[in-house]
Amino acid sequence: MRRTSGGCAGVGIVEPSTTDPAPSRHGPGAWWAGLAVCTGLRIASLSQRAGLGGGSIIGGRVTLAMHPGALRKLAARRRVVLVSGTNGKTTTSHMVATALATRSAVAHNASGSNMADGAVAALAAARDAPYAVLEVDELHLADIARRCSPTLIVLLNLTRDQLDRAAEVRRTAAIIGDLLAELPGTTVLANADDPMVVWAAARSAGPRTWITAGSCWSADSLSCPQCGGPLAQRWSRWHCDCGLRRPTPDWWLHDGVAYSNDSATPLAPRLPGAVNAGNALMALAAARHEQIEAEKASKAIGTLEQVAGRYATINHGRHTIRMLLAKNPAGWAATLSMLNNSRPLLITVNAREADGRDTSWLWDVDFDVLRGRPIAASGERAADLGVRLSYAELDHHTDIDPVDALNQLPGGEVDVVANYTAFHSLRRRFISQG
């Protein structure tokens, strides 16, 4: 065999020589696995150069098509941390990766490609990294975890998202519970404030650590996921007569200090909102599990000012724009607390495959609290959004094109809240326009 050059240099991949044996009928040989990874990397690079995207999805898909076992092979001999849940995956995985990077190299799907192809691309791009931090879609967690033997699973929250794909939250929680029961060697860091998460994590065959990461959305947990009875709520505590209840936390946050049973660490994330304080606490607990010093991890987490464009400030014409992402009712509940009451607001909504085609979730968002500011409705589903805002009796104007809608708002600071594809499309547009 000979080492590759060119696009695969430095990744430790081998190409077949003329004397290499062909793959056996029992599965691809090592040389074929290397060729599959190399090909995926090259395809990803071509996609980037052609301006077709980041390349992580197409590169990972090519690698998996050539070698279906690539994820297991690439994850072997690493400490793999999976971060999953309905909301907060991207932010929390960035926090965890930043903390672990204080010790060593980290493979991380930083672009947010959170299915198997994105995981493969991230691992292939950092073949020598001893750590891997992978954001994973909650519906794909079981498949990916079974293939990469994670050291740690960080489970944030479980709520409705993409109603045409994952309408039944309890079913998602049950599938994750089945997975965790199969992984005695995996530690689970779970949000003690989310009943769905607690019900799933309670079945874990491995160690569990309970975190008070908060929950600003309870509409999907009004009944007990275990027995179907009503959940009693008092302050942040909840319980059911069947025995399911909020666990005693191992980590909690109070007045900017993260406490565990044996430590107290100042924690001051720069990202806004209580939800990001909870994400930071989860990330700190994950870093401590991986033996990163608490103070060092906290300092690293506090350096993040934006994540994949979220919370970034962009100057565009006569506007200074703050970019926020909200893609479901729970995400909006968290985002509403971050909005400046005096700023004009641009909302942009699409309904592509990555968003979910069903926009009925708009009716569960408490838009009424937005009264008293200029509002623009935009995006491919601007009409749906405009009807919802009209029923909330909010003054607004509607324009499918988000930039045209923005230009009709008063100059100065503007908050922009967009769902997934609308966010990335608008961000790329702003970047291309300088």
Side-chain angles (χ1 to χ4, degrees):
M1 290 188 179
R2 57 188 174 84
R3 292 284 175 185
T4 62
S5 58
C8 293
V11 295
I13 300 168
V14 292
E15 287 182 349
S17 70
T18 55
T19 58
D20 285 332
S24 74
R25 64 179 179 177
H26 299 295
W31 70 267
W32 181 257
L35 180 61
V37 172
C38 183
T39 303
L41 289 170
R42 287 178 172 168
I43 292 294
S45 178
L46 289 172
S47 177
Q48 290 174 339
R49 291 183 209 173
L52 300 177
S56 60
I57 294 178
I58 184 62
R61 285 182 181 175
V62 168
T63 298
L64 283 171
M66 293 179 65
H67 181 27
L71 177 53
R72 187 183 305 277
K73 193 171 187 66
L74 287 166
R77 295 181 296 280
R78 305 192 205 226
R79 292 187 67 83
V80 177
V81 178
L82 303 183
V83 180
S84 193
T86 308
N87 293 301
K89 297 183 292 292
T90 300
T91 297
T92 306
S93 68
H94 273 75
M95 290 176 170
V96 175
T98 300
L100 296 188
T102 63
R103 170 173 291 175
S104 188
V106 180
H108 177 214
N109 51 348
S111 67
S113 300
N114 57 22
M115 299 180 190
D117 43 24
V120 165
L123 295 170
R127 289 285 299 274
D128 296 327
Y131 288 113
V133 177
L134 302 176
E135 169 192 342
V136 181
D137 179 273
E138 63 272 25
L139 295 187
H140 291 256
L141 178 61
D143 174 56
I144 291 175
R146 289 183 176 114
R147 289 197 269 171
C148 68
S149 301
T151 302
L152 182 66
I153 292 178
V154 180
L155 197 53
L156 301 170
N157 48 67
L158 292 170
T159 66
R160 281 173 296 150
D161 187 41
Q162 299 187 26
L163 300 182
D164 52 343
R165 186 176 74 104
E168 179 48 63
V169 183
R170 187 182 181 281
R171 175 170 171 75
T172 302
I175 291 171
I176 293 174
D178 289 343
L179 163 72
L180 299 180
E182 301 173 13
L183 301 175
T186 300
T187 297
V188 179
L189 264 60
N191 182 358
D193 296 320
D194 188 311
M196 289 289 178
V197 166
V198 171
W199 181 58
R203 298 181 57 194
S204 173
R208 291 185 298 267
T209 299
W210 301 110
I211 319 288
T212 57
S215 179
C216 56
W217 179 258
S218 61
D220 294 318
S221 300
L222 297 176
S223 61
C224 174
Q226 182 164 279
C227 72
L231 280 179
Q233 300 270 354
R234 181 173 176 81
W235 304 104
S236 62
R237 301 181 184 276
W238 53 267
H239 72 275
C240 179
D241 291 342
C242 73
L244 187 70
R245 62 178 58 247
R246 179 180 180 267
T248 300
D250 300 298
W251 284 83
W252 63 96
L253 191 64
H254 181 69
D255 289 341
V257 178
Y259 294 93
S260 70
N261 295 324
D262 58 2
S263 68
T265 307
L267 183 63
R270 295 190 187 183
L271 302 181
V275 66
N276 282 318
N279 291 337
L281 183 62
M282 298 287 283
L284 178 62
R288 287 297 300 128
H289 181 272
E290 294 305 302
Q291 305 302 312
I292 306 298
E293 295 177 8
E295 292 76 12
K296 184 180 290 187
S298 176
K299 183 177 179 180
I301 291 167
T303 64
L304 291 174
E305 296 181 335
Q306 60 171 292
V307 172
R310 302 167 198 194
Y311 316 108
T313 298
I314 298 173
N315 293 317
H316 184 269
R318 59 193 180 90
H319 295 107
T320 300
I321 301 159
R322 183 174 62 152
M323 298 286 292
L324 302 169
L325 185 145
K327 56 191 177 68
N328 51 47
W332 262 98
T335 300
L336 287 171
S337 66
M338 304 179 196
L339 300 179
N340 187 305
N341 291 334
S342 63
R343 284 182 188 170
L345 176 64
L346 170 67
I347 308 173
T348 178
V349 173
N350 290 347
R352 302 180 188 177
E353 181 180 359
D355 307 302
R357 306 290 186 185
D358 188 339
T359 60
S360 63
W361 61 268
L362 290 169
W363 294 89
D364 290 329
V365 177
D366 186 18
F367 287 118
D368 300 65
V369 301
L370 300 177
R371 191 165 284 106
R373 77 190 78 193
I375 300 175
S378 67
E380 295 168 355
R381 303 304 287 268
D384 292 353
L385 175 59
V387 170
R388 174 66 185 94
L389 296 178
S390 294
Y391 270 86
E393 299 181 347
L394 298 176
D395 292 332
H396 67 281
H397 66 268
T398 302
D399 195 311
I400 291 177
D401 187 291
V403 174
D404 290 345
L406 173 66
N407 290 335
Q408 298 177 56
L409 290 171
E413 295 183 334
V414 174
D415 282 330
V416 175
V417 183
N419 69 342
Y420 188 78
T421 65
F423 179 94
H424 290 289
S425 176
L426 185 57
R427 180 169 177 259
R428 285 193 298 270
R429 191 168 170 185
F430 285 147
I431 291 172
S432 69
Q433 294 175 0

